Amino acid sequence: MANSKQAKKRVRQSEKHRQHNASMRSMLRTYIKKVTSAIAAGDQNAAQASIQEATPIIDRMVSKGIIHKNKAARHKSRLNQHIKKLGAKAA
């Protein structure tokens, strides 16, 4: 347990940051799930609209240090790949 005043403050700050980061991660997952559900439904227009909405959120999480830049790139790449496959199936 923290004994000094400084250590107690760090514990408070750490918990506050942890909760905020968890909230941000949850929001990120929600946006990714919206894209995934549109892909699963086979609706390319909805999937395209939701990826347009999710991309800036993903990038913002990278700039805030919530996720690594390579993880963000991987998510965006895979989602776009699935959307392109939907277009190929429709054509």
Side-chain angles (χ1 to χ4, degrees), residues 31-86:
Y31 276 94
I32 291 172
K33 283 177 189 172
K34 285 180 185 177
V35 180
T36 309
S37 63
I39 292 168
D43 189 357
Q44 188 184 12
N45 292 332
Q48 196 67 41
S50 55
I51 190 100
Q52 294 273 332
E53 201 176 319
T55 300
I57 302 294
I58 294 170
D59 291 335
R60 196 172 311 136
M61 293 307 117
V62 171
S63 67
K64 291 181 182 295
I66 304 296
I67 60 171
H68 193 272
K69 63 179 181 175
N70 291 354
K71 180 175 181 166
R74 185 174 66 241
H75 276 299
K76 291 191 295 187
S77 173
R78 287 182 182 169
L79 290 172
N80 276 315
Q81 193 176 14
H82 288 302
I83 292 171
K84 285 181 182 177
K85 282 184 184 175
L86 280 179

